Amino acid sequence: DGRILMSYVPKEDMTTLCVCISEDNGKTWPDSSKLIVEDRPEHNTISYPRCVQMDDGSILMVYSSSLKSKKERFIHSAQFSV
């Protein structure tokens, strides 16, 4: 539909994964469009979010995280609509 979706991990909270939507070709990213996709306080960091739009219009996101012990890494996915 012409909107642009950006996935990111805020540097002030590396355990939260967010998306934000621009409706003006990336010129602005209104706070009102921010969506928290995951909040994993038991993890040390969430990183490398990647998104793809599926045939049905939903968004599939894949990302990694590590536990606070940093000995284990995990790969997660989330599917949602905006």
Side-chain angles (χ1 to χ4, degrees):
D1 64 8
R3 297 180 291 172
I4 299 173
L5 181 136
M6 173 180 60
S7 59
Y8 65 99
V9 177
K11 67 179 181 177
E12 65 274 0
D13 183 6
M14 298 293 288
T15 65
T16 301
L17 178 58
C18 303
V19 296
C20 199
I21 298 168
S22 175
E23 295 185 355
D24 58 7
N25 206 30
K27 292 178 185 170
T28 61
W29 300 91
D31 285 339
S32 61
S33 73
K34 179 180 173 181
L35 171 68
I36 296 174
V37 178
E38 290 283 354
D39 187 16
R40 295 182 175 267
E42 72 279 9
H43 288 236
N44 185 46
T45 60
I46 292 177
S47 53
Y48 306 111
R50 299 292 184 261
C51 296
V52 63
Q53 186 173 21
M54 306 300 287
D55 288 340
D56 66 359
S58 65
I59 305 298
L60 176 64
M61 176 184 285
V62 178
Y63 59 97
S64 66
S65 70
S66 63
L67 290 175
K68 291 189 179 198
S69 66
K70 296 186 181 182
K71 293 180 181 178
E72 295 181 78
R73 295 205 49 85
F74 303 91
I75 296 175
H76 309 273
S77 66
Q79 192 164 357
F80 55 92
S81 296
V82 291

